[in-house]
Amino acid sequence: MQDRALSEATHKDMANAIRALAMDAVEKAASGHPGMPMGMADVATVLFTRFLKFDAAHPDWPDRDRFVLSAGHGSMLLYALLYLTGYPEMDIEEIERFRQLGARTAGHPEYGHAPGIETTTGPLGQGIGNAVGMALAERLLNQRYGDDIVSHYTYCIAGDGCLMEGISQEAISLAGHLKLGRLIVLFDDNQISIDGPTDLAVSDDQLERFRASSWHVAAVDGHDPEAVALAIENARGVTDRPSLIACRTIIGYGAPKKAGTASTHGSPLGDEEIAGAREELGWAHPPFELPEQILSTWRAAGVKHRQAYEKWTEAAGRLDAASREHLVEPIDAKVADGIVRAVASAKTDFAAEGAKLATRQSSQKVLERLVPVVPGLIGGSADLTGSVGTLTKQHGVVKPGDFAGNYIHYGVREHAMAAAMNGLALHGGIVPYGGTFLVFSDYCRPSIRLSALMGQRVIYVMTHDSIGLGEDGPTHQPVEQLAALRAIPNLHVMRPADSVECAECWELALLANDKPAILALTRQGLPLLRTTPTEENLSAKGAYVLIEPDGGRDVTLLATGSEVSLAVDAAKLLQEEGIKAAIVSMPCWELFDAQDETYRQTVLGTAPRVGVEAAIEFGWQKWLGQDGTFVGMRGFGASAPAQELYKHFGITPEAVAAAARDLTVKK
């Protein structure tokens, strides 16, 4: 057993400090969730004082244990722990400002608001997926650096709601398969949900469910600190399986009338109930006031692992500077230069070969060059490796218990793949990318949104990006997904028109360290449009003039991805009629929108505009203006060969030329 210097009485006082801070902060805010922090206070106290390896003064220590609060509504549990253990920027004033504008103590923990908040868990179940990614990152980096540099645990507190969400099954199945033995989930088994007792909606045997997914499982009284400690100790001894510890707790523990009921879940307790809880818990102190003895004991827990931190620092000092940097940031200046060089080389070769390639194939060829120069680049796919082109000859496959590889078979688990990639990125030292079909971005969307919200460099390789995928039919043909993804703030949606643009988009995705990217790639082959490669990354401005006719424009054709070549063909038809059409390729709307007004107007011009995209029109009016015309999809697709579908839905050079002709006549 680890350090047991704290007596049960001291443990009680320390746990009650969490409970008091939680109920007082929620009461002052007149909003929040006091029940979960009060119920899990005993478990959290055991974890933070006896097991969790951290140093509050060095919250970004790369080899710290990770703590994920998947049940993020219980955020006051985390905020109380950060304050009590002495994390910087989490003082008592922040606790008192709980849920107020500008406070670090938001309603749910938000990554970046304060040190010690490892992730924005957001919707229930996301944190479990993040934790799987963090635990996987630890094993991958341990394989590369060794035990002296990377050897830590990932702990996750999850509730009934987390385990009801479908993402949890995907995540625990993946973790069990990979044998992530340093992942420990503490289940707040209070049997209460918002609507009431959980048996209103669920009767799963969670222990058997996890056991069936190859987890080590245990069940304890969550209010017995010694039982909790023994269960964690035993879980740490299991090296070939992740662990679930079901902690039977009472939600709102200590509240005399509301404990154990749904009324403590998401509402303040009220003055009368809080007064009763203080009496029940033996806590006679005013709101937000802690006895010095209790606070100093908590602060001692915050520096308990200082010696371990210093020992690690000494070991890390023996690494070369680049290796130390890559523990946190895998793309330093040297790696970034390698990326630029690799992309330039790929562009040159694409131009020399002049091959007609699907951009999913172009992407794979670019990856062949990128993987060797970005050691932290970890790929994967949700059971579509052969279709999405995410595996190269430079990859080795990660296998259960064997983490020497750099490619992950996520299985048919798109949502868990995306959440795990967030965890991989948040852990540090890794740039994750994963592939699936663009239509399945709907299955990933909550995690993609959190990638963007947290500003994480996660790269989503989404292929089969339009009706061009053909015979699989409308269920697999994305038409509204581009618009839906473009609606997410801080996300770059990139749809390259050919191999050269594809290489440029990979460069942009890798060098943007504060946002995720979607690479929307084709199944069908596309002609090479950029036959003379430029040193400049033209895609970096989001849109650029691909073809400018001599003597000024009569019309401007705007297009993305596979429809750029279609617009080029339309321009040739118009040229035969004496109509001069400029072609603008728009691989990334978000980057174009970020340019100054002068550049945007130079690209868009003053001539009437036609937009072309094999997707719905939503969002295009911003670029087309009041008098512009859109050629694209008006509904769902159909099952047929790609070329027949383009003709059937009227997305052809002839249709684009006709739309342009009409505009020039009106002009």
mmCIF file of all heavy atoms in Angstrom, residues 576-623:
data_model
loop_
_atom_site.group_PDB
_atom_site.id
_atom_site.type_symbol
_atom_site.label_atom_id
_atom_site.label_comp_id
_atom_site.label_asym_id
_atom_site.label_seq_id
_atom_site.Cartn_x
_atom_site.Cartn_y
_atom_site.Cartn_z
ATOM 1 N N GLU A 576 -14.854 29.391 -76.220
ATOM 2 C CA GLU A 576 -15.247 29.189 -77.612
ATOM 3 C C GLU A 576 -16.348 30.158 -78.036
ATOM 4 O O GLU A 576 -16.516 30.446 -79.225
ATOM 5 C CB GLU A 576 -15.712 27.746 -77.819
ATOM 6 C CG GLU A 576 -14.611 26.710 -77.633
ATOM 7 C CD GLU A 576 -15.144 25.286 -77.699
ATOM 8 O OE1 GLU A 576 -16.373 25.125 -77.867
ATOM 9 O OE2 GLU A 576 -14.337 24.343 -77.568
ATOM 10 N N GLU A 577 -17.087 30.655 -77.054
ATOM 11 C CA GLU A 577 -18.163 31.605 -77.328
ATOM 12 C C GLU A 577 -17.716 33.047 -77.118
ATOM 13 O O GLU A 577 -18.511 33.977 -77.205
ATOM 14 C CB GLU A 577 -19.361 31.313 -76.423
ATOM 15 C CG GLU A 577 -19.900 29.895 -76.532
ATOM 16 C CD GLU A 577 -20.985 29.617 -75.498
ATOM 17 O OE1 GLU A 577 -21.677 30.578 -75.094
ATOM 18 O OE2 GLU A 577 -21.142 28.453 -75.091
ATOM 19 N N GLY A 578 -16.438 33.216 -76.791
ATOM 20 C CA GLY A 578 -15.928 34.557 -76.559
ATOM 21 C C GLY A 578 -16.193 35.092 -75.172
ATOM 22 O O GLY A 578 -16.042 36.296 -74.926
ATOM 23 N N ILE A 579 -16.584 34.217 -74.239
ATOM 24 C CA ILE A 579 -16.830 34.625 -72.844
ATOM 25 C C ILE A 579 -15.598 34.282 -72.019
ATOM 26 O O ILE A 579 -15.156 33.126 -71.984
ATOM 27 C CB ILE A 579 -18.073 33.927 -72.267
ATOM 28 C CG1 ILE A 579 -19.314 34.315 -73.091
ATOM 29 C CG2 ILE A 579 -18.261 34.289 -70.802
ATOM 30 C CD1 ILE A 579 -20.567 33.554 -72.691
ATOM 31 N N LYS A 580 -15.033 35.273 -71.378
ATOM 32 C CA LYS A 580 -13.795 35.090 -70.633
ATOM 33 C C LYS A 580 -14.111 34.759 -69.167
ATOM 34 O O LYS A 580 -14.696 35.586 -68.452
ATOM 35 C CB LYS A 580 -12.932 36.350 -70.719
ATOM 36 C CG LYS A 580 -12.431 36.625 -72.138
ATOM 37 C CD LYS A 580 -11.689 37.932 -72.229
ATOM 38 C CE LYS A 580 -12.649 39.118 -72.091
ATOM 39 N NZ LYS A 580 -11.962 40.412 -72.363
ATOM 40 N N ALA A 581 -13.721 33.541 -68.768
ATOM 41 C CA ALA A 581 -14.021 33.068 -67.413
ATOM 42 C C ALA A 581 -12.733 32.877 -66.612
ATOM 43 O O ALA A 581 -11.790 32.224 -67.078
ATOM 44 C CB ALA A 581 -14.793 31.752 -67.467
ATOM 45 N N ALA A 582 -12.707 33.473 -65.432
ATOM 46 C CA ALA A 582 -11.617 33.217 -64.482
ATOM 47 C C ALA A 582 -11.993 32.012 -63.635
ATOM 48 O O ALA A 582 -13.170 31.785 -63.333
ATOM 49 C CB ALA A 582 -11.382 34.425 -63.603
ATOM 50 N N ILE A 583 -10.994 31.232 -63.252
ATOM 51 C CA ILE A 583 -11.209 30.069 -62.388
ATOM 52 C C ILE A 583 -10.566 30.329 -61.036
ATOM 53 O O ILE A 583 -9.366 30.615 -60.951
ATOM 54 C CB ILE A 583 -10.604 28.785 -62.993
ATOM 55 C CG1 ILE A 583 -11.095 28.559 -64.419
ATOM 56 C CG2 ILE A 583 -10.926 27.583 -62.101
ATOM 57 C CD1 ILE A 583 -12.579 28.359 -64.541
ATOM 58 N N VAL A 584 -11.363 30.234 -59.995
ATOM 59 C CA VAL A 584 -10.860 30.372 -58.623
ATOM 60 C C VAL A 584 -11.018 29.037 -57.908
ATOM 61 O O VAL A 584 -12.129 28.501 -57.811
ATOM 62 C CB VAL A 584 -11.614 31.472 -57.855
ATOM 63 C CG1 VAL A 584 -11.199 31.482 -56.381
ATOM 64 C CG2 VAL A 584 -11.363 32.834 -58.488
ATOM 65 N N SER A 585 -9.904 28.504 -57.444
ATOM 66 C CA SER A 585 -9.938 27.298 -56.617
ATOM 67 C C SER A 585 -10.020 27.718 -55.156
ATOM 68 O O SER A 585 -9.271 28.595 -54.717
ATOM 69 C CB SER A 585 -8.690 26.446 -56.850
ATOM 70 O OG SER A 585 -8.716 25.295 -56.031
ATOM 71 N N MET A 586 -10.922 27.088 -54.401
ATOM 72 C CA MET A 586 -11.169 27.471 -53.003
ATOM 73 C C MET A 586 -10.991 26.262 -52.082
ATOM 74 O O MET A 586 -11.962 25.733 -51.550
ATOM 75 C CB MET A 586 -12.576 28.037 -52.844
ATOM 76 C CG MET A 586 -12.908 29.193 -53.758
ATOM 77 S SD MET A 586 -14.543 29.902 -53.421
ATOM 78 C CE MET A 586 -14.230 30.768 -51.881
ATOM 79 N N PRO A 587 -9.748 25.823 -51.873
ATOM 80 C CA PRO A 587 -9.567 24.620 -51.056
ATOM 81 C C PRO A 587 -9.978 24.776 -49.605
ATOM 82 O O PRO A 587 -10.326 23.798 -48.944
ATOM 83 C CB PRO A 587 -8.062 24.337 -51.178
ATOM 84 C CG PRO A 587 -7.454 25.636 -51.583
ATOM 85 C CD PRO A 587 -8.477 26.324 -52.421
ATOM 86 N N CYS A 588 -9.969 26.000 -49.067
ATOM 87 C CA CYS A 588 -10.318 26.176 -47.648
ATOM 88 C C CYS A 588 -10.984 27.528 -47.429
ATOM 89 O O CYS A 588 -10.319 28.567 -47.417
ATOM 90 C CB CYS A 588 -9.070 26.050 -46.768
ATOM 91 S SG CYS A 588 -9.411 26.175 -45.006
ATOM 92 N N TRP A 589 -12.301 27.514 -47.263
ATOM 93 C CA TRP A 589 -13.045 28.751 -47.060
ATOM 94 C C TRP A 589 -12.551 29.519 -45.832
ATOM 95 O O TRP A 589 -12.485 30.739 -45.836
ATOM 96 C CB TRP A 589 -14.528 28.442 -46.868
ATOM 97 C CG TRP A 589 -15.246 28.000 -48.096
ATOM 98 C CD1 TRP A 589 -14.706 27.640 -49.292
ATOM 99 C CD2 TRP A 589 -16.659 27.897 -48.229
ATOM 100 N NE1 TRP A 589 -15.706 27.302 -50.168
ATOM 101 C CE2 TRP A 589 -16.913 27.441 -49.545
ATOM 102 C CE3 TRP A 589 -17.732 28.106 -47.377
ATOM 103 C CZ2 TRP A 589 -18.207 27.218 -50.014
ATOM 104 C CZ3 TRP A 589 -19.021 27.886 -47.839
ATOM 105 C CH2 TRP A 589 -19.256 27.449 -49.155
ATOM 106 N N GLU A 590 -12.247 28.793 -44.779
ATOM 107 C CA GLU A 590 -11.884 29.455 -43.516
ATOM 108 C C GLU A 590 -10.598 30.268 -43.672
ATOM 109 O O GLU A 590 -10.488 31.389 -43.153
ATOM 110 C CB GLU A 590 -11.734 28.426 -42.395
ATOM 111 C CG GLU A 590 -13.013 27.670 -42.066
ATOM 112 C CD GLU A 590 -13.341 26.557 -43.053
ATOM 113 O OE1 GLU A 590 -12.408 26.083 -43.756
ATOM 114 O OE2 GLU A 590 -14.517 26.144 -43.127
ATOM 115 N N LEU A 591 -9.623 29.712 -44.381
ATOM 116 C CA LEU A 591 -8.384 30.448 -44.612
ATOM 117 C C LEU A 591 -8.630 31.660 -45.522
ATOM 118 O O LEU A 591 -8.040 32.721 -45.327
ATOM 119 C CB LEU A 591 -7.333 29.528 -45.236
ATOM 120 C CG LEU A 591 -6.653 28.554 -44.278
ATOM 121 C CD1 LEU A 591 -5.809 27.536 -45.035
ATOM 122 C CD2 LEU A 591 -5.786 29.302 -43.261
ATOM 123 N N PHE A 592 -9.495 31.496 -46.512
ATOM 124 C CA PHE A 592 -9.795 32.611 -47.402
ATOM 125 C C PHE A 592 -10.502 33.730 -46.635
ATOM 126 O O PHE A 592 -10.194 34.917 -46.814
ATOM 127 C CB PHE A 592 -10.662 32.127 -48.563
ATOM 128 C CG PHE A 592 -10.935 33.178 -49.607
ATOM 129 C CD1 PHE A 592 -9.899 33.868 -50.221
ATOM 130 C CD2 PHE A 592 -12.244 33.487 -49.966
ATOM 131 C CE1 PHE A 592 -10.151 34.838 -51.191
ATOM 132 C CE2 PHE A 592 -12.509 34.447 -50.930
ATOM 133 C CZ PHE A 592 -11.459 35.127 -51.543
ATOM 134 N N ASP A 593 -11.402 33.351 -45.764
ATOM 135 C CA ASP A 593 -12.133 34.341 -44.969
ATOM 136 C C ASP A 593 -11.201 35.122 -44.046
ATOM 137 O O ASP A 593 -11.502 36.256 -43.655
ATOM 138 C CB ASP A 593 -13.221 33.644 -44.153
ATOM 139 C CG ASP A 593 -14.281 34.611 -43.647
ATOM 140 O OD1 ASP A 593 -14.581 35.589 -44.361
ATOM 141 O OD2 ASP A 593 -14.796 34.391 -42.537
ATOM 142 N N ALA A 594 -10.069 34.520 -43.701
ATOM 143 C CA ALA A 594 -9.114 35.172 -42.798
ATOM 144 C C ALA A 594 -8.201 36.164 -43.516
ATOM 145 O O ALA A 594 -7.462 36.911 -42.864
ATOM 146 C CB ALA A 594 -8.256 34.109 -42.102
ATOM 147 N N GLN A 595 -8.243 36.192 -44.845
ATOM 148 C CA GLN A 595 -7.402 37.128 -45.591
ATOM 149 C C GLN A 595 -7.993 38.541 -45.533
ATOM 150 O O GLN A 595 -9.172 38.737 -45.218
ATOM 151 C CB GLN A 595 -7.267 36.670 -47.049
ATOM 152 C CG GLN A 595 -6.767 35.247 -47.223
ATOM 153 C CD GLN A 595 -5.485 34.963 -46.477
ATOM 154 O OE1 GLN A 595 -4.509 35.713 -46.599
ATOM 155 N NE2 GLN A 595 -5.476 33.885 -45.686
ATOM 156 N N ASP A 596 -7.160 39.510 -45.883
ATOM 157 C CA ASP A 596 -7.667 40.881 -45.858
ATOM 158 C C ASP A 596 -8.626 41.119 -47.022
ATOM 159 O O ASP A 596 -8.655 40.380 -48.010
ATOM 160 C CB ASP A 596 -6.511 41.888 -45.880
ATOM 161 C CG ASP A 596 -5.642 41.770 -47.124
ATOM 162 O OD1 ASP A 596 -6.161 41.934 -48.253
ATOM 163 O OD2 ASP A 596 -4.437 41.500 -46.982
ATOM 164 N N GLU A 597 -9.414 42.164 -46.880
ATOM 165 C CA GLU A 597 -10.460 42.459 -47.854
ATOM 166 C C GLU A 597 -9.886 42.692 -49.249
ATOM 167 O O GLU A 597 -10.482 42.289 -50.254
ATOM 168 C CB GLU A 597 -11.253 43.692 -47.398
ATOM 169 C CG GLU A 597 -12.391 44.092 -48.324
ATOM 170 C CD GLU A 597 -13.508 43.068 -48.369
ATOM 171 O OE1 GLU A 597 -13.615 42.242 -47.423
ATOM 172 O OE2 GLU A 597 -14.284 43.079 -49.343
ATOM 173 N N THR A 598 -8.726 43.307 -49.317
ATOM 174 C CA THR A 598 -8.117 43.582 -50.620
ATOM 175 C C THR A 598 -7.815 42.296 -51.365
ATOM 176 O O THR A 598 -8.123 42.173 -52.560
ATOM 177 C CB THR A 598 -6.829 44.401 -50.436
ATOM 178 O OG1 THR A 598 -7.139 45.632 -49.800
ATOM 179 C CG2 THR A 598 -6.164 44.677 -51.784
ATOM 180 N N TYR A 599 -7.231 41.343 -50.669
ATOM 181 C CA TYR A 599 -6.912 40.074 -51.334
ATOM 182 C C TYR A 599 -8.184 39.360 -51.763
ATOM 183 O O TYR A 599 -8.285 38.859 -52.894
ATOM 184 C CB TYR A 599 -6.089 39.173 -50.409
ATOM 185 C CG TYR A 599 -5.796 37.824 -51.047
ATOM 186 C CD1 TYR A 599 -4.798 37.689 -52.004
ATOM 187 C CD2 TYR A 599 -6.551 36.693 -50.715
ATOM 188 C CE1 TYR A 599 -4.546 36.460 -52.614
ATOM 189 C CE2 TYR A 599 -6.311 35.465 -51.324
ATOM 190 C CZ TYR A 599 -5.304 35.355 -52.263
ATOM 191 O OH TYR A 599 -5.070 34.144 -52.878
ATOM 192 N N ARG A 600 -9.172 39.329 -50.884
ATOM 193 C CA ARG A 600 -10.407 38.624 -51.216
ATOM 194 C C ARG A 600 -11.067 39.237 -52.451
ATOM 195 O O ARG A 600 -11.544 38.520 -53.342
ATOM 196 C CB ARG A 600 -11.378 38.633 -50.027
ATOM 197 C CG ARG A 600 -10.926 37.763 -48.867
ATOM 198 C CD ARG A 600 -12.093 37.432 -47.935
ATOM 199 N NE ARG A 600 -12.755 38.611 -47.430
ATOM 200 C CZ ARG A 600 -12.435 39.246 -46.312
ATOM 201 N NH1 ARG A 600 -11.427 38.804 -45.573
ATOM 202 N NH2 ARG A 600 -13.107 40.320 -45.919
ATOM 203 N N GLN A 601 -11.099 40.548 -52.521
ATOM 204 C CA GLN A 601 -11.722 41.198 -53.665
ATOM 205 C C GLN A 601 -10.930 40.975 -54.945
ATOM 206 O O GLN A 601 -11.508 40.837 -56.033
ATOM 207 C CB GLN A 601 -11.878 42.695 -53.391
ATOM 208 C CG GLN A 601 -12.993 43.025 -52.424
ATOM 209 C CD GLN A 601 -14.336 42.476 -52.892
ATOM 210 O OE1 GLN A 601 -14.712 42.571 -54.054
ATOM 211 N NE2 GLN A 601 -15.067 41.858 -51.954
ATOM 212 N N THR A 602 -9.604 40.912 -54.812
ATOM 213 C CA THR A 602 -8.769 40.635 -55.976
ATOM 214 C C THR A 602 -9.076 39.258 -56.545
ATOM 215 O O THR A 602 -9.160 39.072 -57.762
ATOM 216 C CB THR A 602 -7.278 40.720 -55.605
ATOM 217 O OG1 THR A 602 -6.989 42.042 -55.133
ATOM 218 C CG2 THR A 602 -6.394 40.402 -56.796
ATOM 219 N N VAL A 603 -9.258 38.292 -55.662
ATOM 220 C CA VAL A 603 -9.552 36.924 -56.101
ATOM 221 C C VAL A 603 -10.964 36.828 -56.652
ATOM 222 O O VAL A 603 -11.189 36.256 -57.730
ATOM 223 C CB VAL A 603 -9.358 35.936 -54.931
ATOM 224 C CG1 VAL A 603 -9.876 34.551 -55.306
ATOM 225 C CG2 VAL A 603 -7.886 35.857 -54.544
ATOM 226 N N LEU A 604 -11.930 37.394 -55.959
ATOM 227 C CA LEU A 604 -13.329 37.248 -56.360
ATOM 228 C C LEU A 604 -13.669 38.107 -57.577
ATOM 229 O O LEU A 604 -14.508 37.726 -58.403
ATOM 230 C CB LEU A 604 -14.244 37.618 -55.187
ATOM 231 C CG LEU A 604 -14.172 36.693 -53.972
ATOM 232 C CD1 LEU A 604 -15.012 37.266 -52.824
ATOM 233 C CD2 LEU A 604 -14.628 35.285 -54.306
ATOM 234 N N GLY A 605 -13.031 39.249 -57.700
ATOM 235 C CA GLY A 605 -13.288 40.124 -58.828
ATOM 236 C C GLY A 605 -14.654 40.783 -58.754
ATOM 237 O O GLY A 605 -15.420 40.598 -57.802
ATOM 238 N N THR A 606 -14.965 41.549 -59.794
ATOM 239 C CA THR A 606 -16.237 42.275 -59.840
ATOM 240 C C THR A 606 -17.218 41.671 -60.836
ATOM 241 O O THR A 606 -18.376 42.090 -60.890
ATOM 242 C CB THR A 606 -15.980 43.740 -60.213
ATOM 243 O OG1 THR A 606 -15.280 43.793 -61.473
ATOM 244 C CG2 THR A 606 -15.152 44.432 -59.144
ATOM 245 N N ALA A 607 -16.761 40.681 -61.598
ATOM 246 C CA ALA A 607 -17.647 40.027 -62.567
ATOM 247 C C ALA A 607 -18.634 39.127 -61.833
ATOM 248 O O ALA A 607 -18.405 38.727 -60.683
ATOM 249 C CB ALA A 607 -16.817 39.208 -63.554
ATOM 250 N N PRO A 608 -19.761 38.784 -62.466
ATOM 251 C CA PRO A 608 -20.703 37.850 -61.823
ATOM 252 C C PRO A 608 -20.046 36.500 -61.571
ATOM 253 O O PRO A 608 -19.103 36.105 -62.267
ATOM 254 C CB PRO A 608 -21.842 37.752 -62.840
ATOM 255 C CG PRO A 608 -21.285 38.248 -64.123
ATOM 256 C CD PRO A 608 -20.239 39.248 -63.776
ATOM 257 N N ARG A 609 -20.560 35.788 -60.576
ATOM 258 C CA ARG A 609 -19.888 34.565 -60.108
ATOM 259 C C ARG A 609 -20.807 33.356 -60.162
ATOM 260 O O ARG A 609 -22.002 33.444 -59.865
ATOM 261 C CB ARG A 609 -19.393 34.752 -58.669
ATOM 262 C CG ARG A 609 -18.477 35.940 -58.490
ATOM 263 C CD ARG A 609 -18.304 36.306 -57.014
ATOM 264 N NE ARG A 609 -17.760 37.649 -56.868
ATOM 265 C CZ ARG A 609 -17.815 38.357 -55.744
ATOM 266 N NH1 ARG A 609 -18.403 37.853 -54.665
ATOM 267 N NH2 ARG A 609 -17.300 39.574 -55.709
ATOM 268 N N VAL A 610 -20.186 32.219 -60.473
ATOM 269 C CA VAL A 610 -20.860 30.930 -60.423
ATOM 270 C C VAL A 610 -20.085 30.047 -59.454
ATOM 271 O O VAL A 610 -18.858 29.913 -59.571
ATOM 272 C CB VAL A 610 -20.909 30.253 -61.816
ATOM 273 C CG1 VAL A 610 -21.582 28.885 -61.719
ATOM 274 C CG2 VAL A 610 -21.630 31.134 -62.820
ATOM 275 N N GLY A 611 -20.769 29.461 -58.492
ATOM 276 C CA GLY A 611 -20.155 28.522 -57.564
ATOM 277 C C GLY A 611 -20.458 27.100 -57.996
ATOM 278 O O GLY A 611 -21.583 26.800 -58.415
ATOM 279 N N VAL A 612 -19.459 26.221 -57.877
ATOM 280 C CA VAL A 612 -19.628 24.834 -58.305
ATOM 281 C C VAL A 612 -19.100 23.906 -57.219
ATOM 282 O O VAL A 612 -17.920 23.967 -56.861
ATOM 283 C CB VAL A 612 -18.873 24.537 -59.623
ATOM 284 C CG1 VAL A 612 -19.345 23.202 -60.198
ATOM 285 C CG2 VAL A 612 -19.034 25.654 -60.626
ATOM 286 N N GLU A 613 -19.979 23.061 -56.685
ATOM 287 C CA GLU A 613 -19.568 22.079 -55.688
ATOM 288 C C GLU A 613 -20.610 20.970 -55.641
ATOM 289 O O GLU A 613 -21.814 21.253 -55.624
ATOM 290 C CB GLU A 613 -19.422 22.724 -54.306
ATOM 291 C CG GLU A 613 -18.802 21.816 -53.265
ATOM 292 C CD GLU A 613 -18.478 22.573 -51.982
ATOM 293 O OE1 GLU A 613 -19.418 23.044 -51.305
ATOM 294 O OE2 GLU A 613 -17.271 22.690 -51.655
ATOM 295 N N ALA A 614 -20.161 19.749 -55.621
ATOM 296 C CA ALA A 614 -21.088 18.608 -55.572
ATOM 297 C C ALA A 614 -21.581 18.410 -54.147
ATOM 298 O O ALA A 614 -21.378 17.374 -53.509
ATOM 299 C CB ALA A 614 -20.411 17.352 -56.097
ATOM 300 N N ALA A 615 -22.230 19.430 -53.650
ATOM 301 C CA ALA A 615 -22.760 19.461 -52.285
ATOM 302 C C ALA A 615 -23.891 20.477 -52.284
ATOM 303 O O ALA A 615 -24.169 21.116 -53.303
ATOM 304 C CB ALA A 615 -21.667 19.848 -51.296
ATOM 305 N N ILE A 616 -24.552 20.652 -51.148
ATOM 306 C CA ILE A 616 -25.646 21.618 -51.093
ATOM 307 C C ILE A 616 -25.097 23.047 -51.119
ATOM 308 O O ILE A 616 -23.923 23.293 -50.850
ATOM 309 C CB ILE A 616 -26.525 21.404 -49.845
ATOM 310 C CG1 ILE A 616 -25.712 21.605 -48.554
ATOM 311 C CG2 ILE A 616 -27.191 20.037 -49.879
ATOM 312 C CD1 ILE A 616 -26.573 21.660 -47.315
ATOM 313 N N GLU A 617 -25.979 23.983 -51.418
ATOM 314 C CA GLU A 617 -25.590 25.371 -51.634
ATOM 315 C C GLU A 617 -25.289 26.121 -50.348
ATOM 316 O O GLU A 617 -24.605 27.153 -50.368
ATOM 317 C CB GLU A 617 -26.713 26.092 -52.388
ATOM 318 C CG GLU A 617 -26.393 27.517 -52.780
ATOM 319 C CD GLU A 617 -27.512 28.168 -53.583
ATOM 320 O OE1 GLU A 617 -28.562 27.498 -53.774
ATOM 321 O OE2 GLU A 617 -27.348 29.321 -54.000
ATOM 322 N N PHE A 618 -25.763 25.625 -49.229
ATOM 323 C CA PHE A 618 -25.711 26.355 -47.960
ATOM 324 C C PHE A 618 -24.304 26.908 -47.700
ATOM 325 O O PHE A 618 -23.322 26.173 -47.669
ATOM 326 C CB PHE A 618 -26.125 25.438 -46.811
ATOM 327 C CG PHE A 618 -26.434 26.168 -45.536
ATOM 328 C CD1 PHE A 618 -27.701 26.684 -45.314
ATOM 329 C CD2 PHE A 618 -25.469 26.357 -44.578
ATOM 330 C CE1 PHE A 618 -27.992 27.365 -44.141
ATOM 331 C CE2 PHE A 618 -25.746 27.024 -43.401
ATOM 332 C CZ PHE A 618 -27.012 27.534 -43.179
ATOM 333 N N GLY A 619 -24.213 28.210 -47.508
ATOM 334 C CA GLY A 619 -22.946 28.875 -47.238
ATOM 335 C C GLY A 619 -22.318 29.543 -48.443
ATOM 336 O O GLY A 619 -21.468 30.437 -48.296
ATOM 337 N N TRP A 620 -22.708 29.149 -49.634
ATOM 338 C CA TRP A 620 -22.066 29.664 -50.843
ATOM 339 C C TRP A 620 -22.424 31.124 -51.135
ATOM 340 O O TRP A 620 -21.652 31.831 -51.803
ATOM 341 C CB TRP A 620 -22.428 28.797 -52.049
ATOM 342 C CG TRP A 620 -21.450 27.680 -52.268
ATOM 343 C CD1 TRP A 620 -21.558 26.392 -51.846
ATOM 344 C CD2 TRP A 620 -20.201 27.768 -52.963
ATOM 345 N NE1 TRP A 620 -20.453 25.657 -52.233
ATOM 346 C CE2 TRP A 620 -19.608 26.485 -52.923
ATOM 347 C CE3 TRP A 620 -19.524 28.789 -53.612
ATOM 348 C CZ2 TRP A 620 -18.372 26.201 -53.504
ATOM 349 C CZ3 TRP A 620 -18.286 28.521 -54.195
ATOM 350 C CH2 TRP A 620 -17.723 27.248 -54.138
ATOM 351 N N GLN A 621 -23.572 31.592 -50.676
ATOM 352 C CA GLN A 621 -23.978 32.959 -50.998
ATOM 353 C C GLN A 621 -22.986 34.003 -50.501
ATOM 354 O O GLN A 621 -22.885 35.097 -51.069
ATOM 355 C CB GLN A 621 -25.381 33.235 -50.440
ATOM 356 C CG GLN A 621 -26.495 32.534 -51.194
ATOM 357 C CD GLN A 621 -26.487 32.846 -52.679
ATOM 358 O OE1 GLN A 621 -26.301 33.996 -53.084
ATOM 359 N NE2 GLN A 621 -26.671 31.828 -53.500
ATOM 360 N N LYS A 622 -22.249 33.667 -49.477
ATOM 361 C CA LYS A 622 -21.247 34.603 -48.969
ATOM 362 C C LYS A 622 -20.232 34.953 -50.044
ATOM 363 O O LYS A 622 -19.726 36.079 -50.103
ATOM 364 C CB LYS A 622 -20.545 33.992 -47.754
ATOM 365 C CG LYS A 622 -19.461 34.878 -47.157
ATOM 366 C CD LYS A 622 -18.935 34.310 -45.858
ATOM 367 C CE LYS A 622 -17.941 35.255 -45.212
ATOM 368 N NZ LYS A 622 -17.483 34.779 -43.889
ATOM 369 N N TRP A 623 -19.916 33.965 -50.890
ATOM 370 C CA TRP A 623 -18.899 34.174 -51.918
ATOM 371 C C TRP A 623 -19.510 34.566 -53.262
ATOM 372 O O TRP A 623 -18.864 35.215 -54.073
ATOM 373 C CB TRP A 623 -18.052 32.913 -52.088
ATOM 374 C CG TRP A 623 -17.564 32.359 -50.792
ATOM 375 C CD1 TRP A 623 -17.819 31.128 -50.265
ATOM 376 C CD2 TRP A 623 -16.731 33.026 -49.839
ATOM 377 N NE1 TRP A 623 -17.211 30.981 -49.038
ATOM 378 C CE2 TRP A 623 -16.532 32.138 -48.751
ATOM 379 C CE3 TRP A 623 -16.144 34.287 -49.782
ATOM 380 C CZ2 TRP A 623 -15.766 32.463 -47.639
ATOM 381 C CZ3 TRP A 623 -15.380 34.623 -48.674
ATOM 382 C CH2 TRP A 623 -15.197 33.717 -47.617
#
